[in-house]
Structures are given as C-alpha cells and as structure tokens.
Amino acid sequence: MAGQRSEGPVADFCAALRQLQQDSGLSRAELARQVKCSRSQLYEILNGRVSRPPEWDRVVEPLVRACTRDDERAIARWRKRHGVLVQVHSELRRQPGGTSRPTQPDRVVPAQLPADVDVFTGRARELAALDLLVADDVEHPAVSSTAVVISAVSGTAGVGKTALAVRWAHRVRDKFPDGQLYVNLRGYDPGQPMSAGDALAGFLRALGLAGQDIPLEVDERAATYRSLLDGRRVLVVLDNATSVEQIRPLLPGTSSCLVLVTSRDSLAGLVARHGARRLDLDLLPPEDAVALLRVLIGERVEAEPEAAKTLAAQCAWLPLALRVAAELAAARPSTSLAALVAELGDQQRRLDLLDAGGDPRTAVSSVFSWSYQHLSAEAARAFRLLSLHPGPDLDSYAATALINTGRDRGQQLLDLLDRAHLIQPTSLGRYGMHDLLRAYANQLAATEDSEPERRAALTRLFDHYLATAAAAMDTRVPAERHHRPRIPAPATPGPPMSDPTAARAWLDAERATLATACAYTAAHGWPAHTTRLATTLFRYYDTGGYYADALSIHTHALRAARHTGDRSAEAHALTSLGVVYQQQGHNQQAGEHHQQALALSRAIGDRPGEGRALGNLGVVYARQGRFAQAAEYFQQALALFRAIGDRAGEARALGNLGGLYARQGRFEQAAEHHQQTLALARYIGHRPGEARALDNLGIFYAQQGGFQQAAEHHQQALVLARDAGDRVVEAAALDNLGIVYSRQGRHQEAAEQHQLALILFREIGDRGGEAKALNSFGETRLRMGQPQDAFIQHTAALTVATEIGDRYEQARAYSGLAHTYYSIDDPEQARDNWRQALTHYTDLALPEADNIRAALAALDQAQQGDSPG
C-alpha cells in the first residue's frame, strides 16, 4: 500500500534508486520532470513507500537514463536487477498471506473424507438437490453463497445427516481436484464441542502449513485459511456443528469452494447472513425405512411385511435406530419380527411413562434400551464403561483396562457391541461411539455403576496408558530409562513392547489420546498420572517434533505439579516446556523456564534435573550467540553428569560442546568431542544420540574437505534418525547432506535434500532448523545459477533468524544475499549486506569474519564481472 514503508527486496531496490539519484546530483524535482512523473509519485518510490516493484518502462528506465546520462551498461545492469526483483516479488506474493515465507511444500491436496457408508438406502431427492450445486455445465458451484447447510428437522438426531453428507461428498469428490477437508465438530458430544480455532488448526495442517506457522488467534487462523483456499476447488465438510459461531470462521472466502454443514440446529443465521442453502433432512420415508431393513435383515422383511412396517415406525424412521434394531433382529433369527415388534412396543410404553414429551429422540432411546436389555450383564457393563473413555476412540487394550477383563474376552465384548451397532470401528483395531450412544451409555453408567466403580475403571485406563507408554519408551530409548519414573505393572494386559517398531507404532497411534489423557487426568483428580505421563513421554514428543502436543501435556503437568506441591515434577515440567520453547525459537521464554528449573532442581537436590537445566540453558545461549556463557553451562553440565554417572547426560553435554567448538572454528576439539559422544552413545545404546553424533562428525569432515566421509556419516545418521523416530536429527542430516552434495557439484541432489529438510523442519516447527535450511537452499540455488531463487531463500532465512534471535543464521543470510547481489552486478548492495554479515560475525567472534573481510577487500578491487573470494 502506498504511504507505508516497504520491506525486503522492494525496499532494497528503492534505496538503491535513491542512492543513484543522490550520486547523480539531480534534484528530485528535476528528476521528476525528466522522468515525466509527479513529484509525489517519485518521492513515494525513492522513499520506499511502495509495495510492489516500480514499472520499468514508465519509471525505472527513464530514471536510470537520466541519472547515468544514458549509460547503456548501467541501464543493462539495472534492467537485469529489475527483472530479478519482479520474479522475486512475484514468488513471495504467491506464498500464504503474501509474506516472505518461501519454498513452501508443493501444494497439498487433502483427502480427509471418512470412508463411504457401507449400506445406504433412499435419499434420492436430497442427493439430487445437492448434485445441482455442482452441475456439470457450470465451472463453479451453482450457488451464490459459500455454504450449504443440511439441517435435521427439530434437531432430530440419528436421522442420517453424516451418512448423507459423506455419501454425497464421495460422489462429487472428483469435482474438487484441490482436495476435500472434513472435521467432526462434535457439536453434541457429551464433552465440549470442538472450537473453531482447533478445527482451523487441523485444516491448516492438512493444507500443508507447518505447526509454527499456524497463528495463535482464531481470526488470524481464519484469514490464513481463506488465503490458502483462495482460488482453489476444495470441498469442506463440517460435520455435527452446534452453532453459527462455531461455523463462521471455517467458511472460505472464495466461491470456488463448497462447504457442506451438518447440524441438528437450523442455523438460520448462516442462511440469513451468508446466503446458505438449507436442506432440511426429514425422517426416512416409510418405504425407504423398510427398504433399509430389507437390506440389513434380509428375507424376513418380505415374509412379514406388516411387522417390518411396524418395526420401522417404532424406530421413528431414523436410520441410526433402524440399524440398531435390525442388528438385534438379525442376531435372533428364530424369533419372528412380530414377536420382536411386540417386545419393543412394551419397552417403548415403559419409557413413555417416564418421558411423555414426544421428542423423536425418545424413539432412539427406546431402541437403544431394547437392544441394551438383550445384552448380557457383562456386555452391558462393558457398554457403559466404554463410554467413560475421554477420547474419541480406543483400542482393545484400553477397552480391556476399562472393563477389567482378559484381552481375549475384551475383544469378544468389543466384537459383540460392534455387531449390535452400539460401537463402531473407527480404524483398524480401534472403536468409537456415536455421540447419542455415548450419552445414553454415560447416563446408564451414572445410574447403574457407583462413583467408586467408575473412578476405578478410569484409574485402570490411565494406569494402562502410563505403563504402556513407559514400556514403549524403555524400548525406544533404553539409555534414558533412569530419567523416567518407574511405573508398576498395570492390572490389565498391555500390548507387547519388546520390538522398537511396535513401540513406535503404538506411540504414534495413541499420540492424540495420550495428550487427551493428560488433560483429563489433570482436570479430574489424577494429577500424579498427568505428571508421570508427561515426564515419560518427553523424549518421544521432543525428537518427534510434536511441539503442539508437547506444549499441551507439559503445561497440564506443570499445573498439576504445582497444585499438589510436587516440586520434582514441577522442575521436570519446567524443563520440558523450556525445550519446547527453544525448539520453536522462543529463546527468552525457554531461558526463563530453564532458569526456574535450575533453581528448583538445586533447591530439592535433584542433580540429574540440575544437569539437564544447565545443558538446556547452554543451548539457549548458543542460539543467541552468547558462546562464552553457553560453554560455561555445557562444562558445568558435563562435570555434573560425570560426577553422578549419568552416561546419557554426559553424551548430550559432550555433543553440545562439540557443536559449540565447531561453530567457533575449533575443529579438532569439536571432532574429539563428537567422537567421544559417538562412542558413549553406542556403548549405552542411545540411538538418537548416536545419530546426532554421526551427523555432527559429518559436518566436521565436510569442513576439512572430506566430502565422501561426510556424506557417509550424514547418510548413516539419516538411517538411524528415521529408525529412532528422531525427526529433528533427520531434518538436520538431510540439510547437511545437501550441503555436502552442493560442494561436490551435485547441485540438483543438494536442492532436493534441502527441500526435504525444509519441509520437515517446518512440519515439526523447528525455527532454527528452518533458518539453517533456507540459507543452505539459497547457497545451492546460487551455485545453480538461480539468483532470484537464492534471493528468496536468504530473505526468508533472514526473516526467521531475526524473529528468533539467531545471529549466526542472520549473518549467514546477509552473506548469502551479498553473494546474490554481486552475481547480478549490484556491488553496492553486495557491500552493504557483507558489512551487515561482518558486524554479526565480528560480534560473535567467529572465523567467518575473516572471509567476509576478504570478500569486501576483493570487492573494492574487483573489475566488472569479477567474483570476490
């Protein structure tokens, strides 16, 4: 926007034009006359108050001609520079939100629709009405609005809204080549509905936005979401919404997208304010209800047509109730439908005495109750207790813990409830409940199971998660077993964890559930489970880069620890939160948490905790360029870990010191420390530590010119990191391997490694790694003869490094920009950026300062086209 000072490449270009004008001796008034533009327009350009590159033909070429007195060589140089600026600016504008965050992963095409409904009958009219919205003879949806609402009459539940939406979405998915987004907003679950902010975060991740790029505020998330969807053909399904307020932030801003909303509410505000088309989904017509029974039950419907009609009426023509009733009928093949109808009629009369309100949902409760009454006492108890699970689904081991039975019997009960349609599979080996069934089962549990019985069931569940998580972590990272609390064996069986692959698979499958368990135990009276679970899972969330989940569980752990006065758990939580903050580039917050953890660990005599806090403070100081303080803390941590015999802590401290020495150019000391780290990590079986040490040794060999050795070490690190699930080291190894390939002249392979590293760093939210990979990418692009791409990468690296206070990567970005400017014959901008780099490198007392001085000296002496050393 005119009137606001521009930033980045446009600002640099305008500043260079201003310098050209000043060097020419022409006044701005005289220059405006020669260029034939108004003084105000020229002033806006020269003062950098424009948001896009000024036009070449109309402004820049006349200005350069006037200032250089028609110097054709200067004009050619400025033409080339302007062309690069236009390309760079265009590329940056294509990024989400128009920012300078470049080289996002290739446009992601989400495919989030649930599996199509297995048995679907009727609804031809409704499907046809929806089909009109994406008629083949129009390019865009035949609606003037951005949303279609499917609303159940009178808020009736179980009428098949989700089934209809999913069936239709699968029918038309090919008309939305840019993807399909789906979310269950849980508007009527027993717990809290999903917030619009959480739904937006999920959508942004599905669209390829990295965790650290997801804004904190709902309005900003909605704006980013709209930007990502702008001009794209995406189908968005918002299932089980509770209110217009929940939906409104989830609406795209482009008519090329179509939003399908299901809700028990009529959502009149969405129709009135957003022009949504409402499709009222009524009960199934009698003939369709009987047809559904015919598919589900079979020939008995033909044999007893009147009884089948009565049964459909008893189910209030609701698909959910029809499915439950049909399963009960199928499970009793020797009983006539007439007898079942009579039995259900008796049940309904009993319920009507209790609730004569006429709510159609009473019919659903009647059918549920009818089906429930035919369960064995054991299965009925299982049904009730399963509803207590705080998450959306569970596996058979968690179910066994709640029910308190053997695994085989637990699976049998799950199968029985599945056949009765009282639970349903959500994925392979996992089960969930429809929200109506969960509410019904919860009500039964509250009346038929005592509070101590319900609490005991949940305690068994949380014991199971805690013990299984501990076993998985002991298998994955045995060398840090002493850092985790010792957990007694639970009362019920858990999955085998002797295989590291199985352990990781369980952790990955249960990651969201474990985070939910931490939140639930903290809020409902199991604080020790919260703190121990968070401590146990620390390394999994850290190396996996699951920082959003980590922030949640450690925050809950900190509150639980403070609430109960558990100072040791509080210190652990502070340290864990500090690590999350430092990985995301929030170094001030990280340092504050580590300082608090250090003071608390010392106060209670927790020496391992003290060592971890010291080491983490060293990492924070190193990232801030405070190398002397970082070295002091690393040395203190190393001495402490050696004194208490903590080999895993010793290995980490040695690696930290080695990395610091390498940064300072003390390569022999760095190599010695990394070799010690490698030997120690292998001795204690610490595979993530081994991967990190190999990667660091690869950096050393590359610095010494041993590119083959370097590549081998980075490749070994990559294999180990992937096997260990350490995504942070994996990303670092990819980037470092790219650096080696680039120095070997294998530029395309290098670019591919940098791209993979950048995607992974952004996915896990490691801002420091992101800045490093961007700079590496920029250096490789310049070697490939692509200065505009190099400019994009280094500009983005400078932005990230400045935001997180990483002065080393800032200096590296300035140096990269200087080389890029020099390559396009702009020595003055090159000089300015090298001076900026020199300031940073000098302040950090790093050897790169000598290289920059040499480059500046060469620049002063260089002839046109010469390259600095």
Side-chain angles (χ1 to χ4, degrees):
M1 177 184 298
Q4 294 183 357
R5 186 169 296 279
S6 58
E7 299 178 354
V10 173
D12 291 343
F13 188 85
C14 291
L17 286 176
R18 183 170 63 251
Q19 187 63 52
L20 181 68
Q21 173 258 319
Q22 292 171 352
D23 292 343
S24 72
L26 292 172
S27 69
R28 294 189 176 188
E30 174 61 21
L31 188 59
R33 187 186 64 77
Q34 293 193 35
V35 174
K36 297 180 181 179
C37 69
S38 68
R39 292 188 190 182
S40 60
Q41 181 185 12
L42 181 64
Y43 289 3
E44 290 285 342
I45 293 171
L46 297 181
N47 290 332
R49 298 188 183 279
V50 290
S51 60
R52 63 186 63 197
E55 297 176 47
W56 170 257
D57 292 335
R58 196 173 64 84
V59 178
V60 181
E61 184 180 11
L63 188 154
V64 173
R65 285 190 177 278
C67 291
T68 64
R69 294 175 173 78
D70 294 326
D71 184 335
E72 293 299 333
R73 293 180 63 189
I75 293 169
R77 186 168 64 248
W78 277 92
R79 182 183 291 110
K80 180 178 180 180
R81 181 174 177 183
H82 184 269
V84 170
L85 172 66
V86 170
Q87 292 183 54
V88 169
H89 181 75
S90 176
E91 179 66 26
L92 294 179
R93 292 288 292 175
R94 284 197 292 269
Q95 303 305 323
T99 69
S100 61
R101 299 192 64 82
T103 320
Q104 294 283 352
D106 293 338
R107 178 173 282 194
V108 175
V109 179
Q112 294 189 317
L113 293 179
D116 199 359
V117 185
D118 55 349
V119 176
F120 188 91
T121 301
R123 304 302 192 196
R125 180 182 63 82
E126 290 84 355
L127 287 169
L130 291 173
D131 284 341
L132 292 175
L133 302 173
V134 287
D136 289 333
D137 59 342
V138 294
E139 180 180 355
H140 298 300
V143 289
S144 59
S145 65
T146 60
V148 179
V149 181
I150 302 176
S151 177
V153 171
S154 302
T156 299
V159 77
K161 301 179 298 297
T162 298
L164 175 66
V166 171
R167 168 54 59 98
W168 183 77
H170 277 283
R171 277 172 48 142
V172 301
R173 63 183 301 168
D174 290 344
K175 298 182 183 297
F176 297 90
D178 294 320
Q180 308 88 41
L181 296 170
Y182 172 88
V183 64
N184 178 3
L185 294 170
R186 302 176 191 166
Y188 297 90
D189 279 2
Q192 287 289 335
M194 179 180 288
S195 69
D198 287 345
L200 284 166
F203 280 170
L204 292 175
R205 283 191 291 268
L207 291 166
L209 199 65
Q212 80 277 5
D213 293 335
I214 296 175
L216 296 178
E217 299 299 327
V218 173
D219 289 345
E220 293 180 14
R221 288 182 181 182
T224 304
Y225 167 70
R226 291 192 295 270
S227 296
L228 287 173
L229 290 184
D230 186 39
R232 298 178 67 176
R233 290 278 288 160
V234 175
L235 175 63
V236 182
V237 180
L238 308 177
D239 193 17
N240 200 12
T242 185
S243 66
V244 175
E245 289 69 27
Q246 187 187 27
I247 297 167
R248 189 171 286 125
L250 306 176
L251 299 179
T254 175
S255 61
S256 62
C257 294
L258 185 67
V259 181
L260 197 61
V261 184
T262 75
S263 178
R264 298 178 198 173
D265 188 87
S266 63
L267 301 175
L270 202 63
V271 176
R273 288 193 56 183
H274 298 275
R277 304 286 184 88
R278 191 170 78 220
L279 175 62
D280 291 336
L281 190 60
D282 206 343
L283 307 174
L284 276 175
E287 60 273 17
D288 287 343
V290 172
L292 180 58
L293 287 176
R294 184 180 299 112
V295 173
L296 295 170
I297 298 175
E299 297 177 353
R300 294 157 69 191
V301 172
E302 298 293 347
E304 299 181 78
E306 293 304 316
K309 291 179 182 177
T310 304
L311 179 59
Q314 288 174 319
C315 292
W317 326 111
L318 289 169
L320 176 62
L322 286 163
R323 287 175 179 271
V324 174
E327 183 54 43
L328 185 59
R332 302 170 67 186
S334 61
T335 304
S336 68
L337 290 186
L340 292 173
V341 165
E343 188 177 338
L344 178 55
D346 290 340
Q347 180 66 33
Q348 286 180 330
R349 279 189 291 275
R350 286 196 297 270
L351 287 174
D352 287 343
L353 293 176
L354 300 175
D355 183 2
D359 189 339
R361 282 173 286 188
T362 302
V364 181
S365 295
S366 299
V367 176
F368 291 169
S369 179
W370 183 42
S371 184
Y372 175 74
Q373 295 297 330
H374 285 83
L375 294 174
S376 68
E378 185 182 22
R381 176 176 174 275
F383 174 61
R384 298 193 304 269
L385 295 181
L386 289 177
S387 73
L388 302 178
H389 191 279
D393 60 7
L394 78 172
D395 68 1
S396 61
Y397 290 100
T400 295
L402 278 167
I403 301 168
N404 195 22
T405 188
R407 169 87 191 294
D408 290 343
R409 184 54 182 158
Q411 184 62 57
Q412 291 169 2
L413 290 169
L414 288 172
D415 292 341
L416 188 155
L417 294 172
D418 179 22
R419 288 194 302 271
H421 286 282
L422 296 176
I423 62 173
Q424 68 269 355
T426 57
S427 60
L428 183 62
R430 302 188 70 83
Y431 302 86
M433 279 187 181
H434 188 283
D435 59 349
L436 280 180
L437 282 160
R438 183 188 289 265
Y440 175 72
N442 250 292
Q443 186 178 30
L444 290 172
T447 57
E448 297 189 31
D449 302 296
S450 67
E451 194 279 334
E453 288 174 321
R454 298 195 303 275
R455 186 170 181 84
L458 284 170
T459 300
R460 289 192 302 272
L461 176 70
F462 301 137
D463 285 347
H464 155 73
Y465 282 133
L466 182 54
T468 310
M473 292 305 298
D474 284 352
T475 301
R476 296 295 300 171
V477 194
E480 292 186 354
R481 182 182 286 109
H482 59 290
H483 287 170
R484 296 186 288 267
R486 293 296 87 209
I487 308 300
T492 55
M497 289 295 164
S498 57
D499 177 12
T501 302
R504 181 180 176 186
W506 184 86
L507 289 165
D508 290 345
E510 299 289 354
R511 176 160 54 89
T513 299
L514 292 170
T516 300
C518 279
Y520 190 91
T521 52
H524 295 87
W526 285 270
H529 284 78
T530 308
T531 56
R532 288 187 293 170
L533 192 55
T535 301
T536 297
L537 293 168
F538 163 75
R539 186 63 65 199
Y540 168 72
Y541 284 103
D542 176 47
T543 58
Y546 306 122
Y547 300 136
D549 287 338
L551 189 64
S552 172
I553 68 169
H554 297 313
T555 298
H556 287 302
L558 181 61
R559 291 171 181 164
R562 286 175 171 168
H563 179 70
T564 59
D566 187 338
R567 303 180 76 194
S568 176
E570 181 181 354
H572 273 280
L574 285 166
T575 291
S576 300
L577 283 169
V579 170
V580 175
Y581 285 129
Q582 74 192 36
Q583 292 292 75
Q584 293 183 309
H586 303 305
N587 290 314
Q588 181 176 348
Q589 289 171 284
E592 291 170 355
H593 280 74
H594 292 318
Q595 288 286 7
Q596 293 178 52
L598 179 61
L600 189 52
S601 296
R602 284 173 171 169
I604 63 177
D606 181 356
R607 302 199 74 197
E610 179 183 351
R612 288 193 296 274
L614 287 166
N616 287 319
L617 277 169
V619 172
V620 171
Y621 288 138
R623 292 182 176 181
Q624 293 175 324
R626 299 158 66 180
F627 297 137
Q629 289 168 286
E632 180 182 347
Y633 278 108
F634 289 152
Q635 291 284 7
Q636 289 183 42
L638 179 60
L640 192 154
F641 285 131
R642 282 175 169 167
I644 63 177
D646 188 334
R647 310 304 295 275
E650 179 184 352
R652 185 167 289 274
L654 282 167
N656 285 334
L657 272 171
L660 184 61
Y661 290 148
R663 178 62 54 83
Q664 294 175 307
R666 299 158 64 178
F667 299 123
E668 293 302 324
Q669 287 174 282
E672 180 183 349
H673 279 71
H674 292 321
Q675 289 285 8
Q676 293 180 46
T677 303
L678 180 60
L680 192 52
R682 284 174 171 168
Y683 176 75
I684 62 177
H686 197 311
R687 292 176 71 79
E690 181 181 355
R692 190 177 295 272
L694 284 166
D695 192 47
N696 286 330
L697 278 169
I699 295 172
F700 165 75
Y701 288 124
Q703 290 165 334
Q704 303 303 305
F707 297 128
Q708 187 58 40
Q709 277 181 292
E712 290 172 358
H713 279 71
H714 292 317
Q715 287 163 348
Q716 292 177 50
L718 194 56
V719 171
L720 273 174
R722 285 171 171 165
D723 179 65
D726 193 330
R727 299 199 298 167
V728 177
V729 174
E730 178 187 351
L734 285 166
D735 184 51
N736 291 326
L737 188 59
I739 292 172
V740 172
Y741 286 160
S742 184
R743 292 179 181 176
Q744 289 178 310
R746 300 160 62 180
H747 300 313
Q748 188 57 47
E749 293 173 90
E752 291 169 1
Q753 301 302 309
H754 295 318
Q755 178 79 338
L756 290 171
L758 186 56
I759 290 171
L760 190 49
F761 275 130
R762 284 176 168 165
E763 181 180 326
I764 64 182
D766 188 327
R767 309 287 326 270
E770 179 185 0
K772 179 180 181 297
L774 284 165
N775 274 325
S776 300
F777 210 172
E779 291 161 2
T780 294
R781 287 300 191 192
L782 188 58
R783 291 188 179 107
M784 296 172 74
Q786 299 173 1
Q788 65 270 29
D789 287 343
F791 195 103
I792 292 168
Q793 309 308 322
H794 288 306
T795 299
L798 182 59
T799 298
V800 175
T802 302
E803 288 175 357
I804 66 177
D806 189 331
R807 297 196 67 195
Y808 179 82
E809 294 300 335
Q810 288 178 55
R812 192 176 167 206
Y814 279 123
S815 179
L817 286 169
H819 281 285
T820 303
Y821 276 122
Y822 194 91
S823 74
I824 60 172
D825 299 326
D826 191 342
E828 291 309 312
Q829 284 296 324
R831 179 179 285 105
D832 288 346
N833 279 275
W834 266 319
R835 284 172 175 167
Q836 290 277 11
L838 181 60
T839 298
H840 285 286
Y841 282 136
T842 302
D843 289 347
L844 297 172
L846 295 180
E848 286 89 344
D850 293 334
N851 297 332
I852 301 299
R853 292 189 187 96
L856 285 168
L859 181 63
D860 291 338
Q861 301 174 6
Q863 298 298 316
Q864 184 69 32
D866 288 348
S867 176

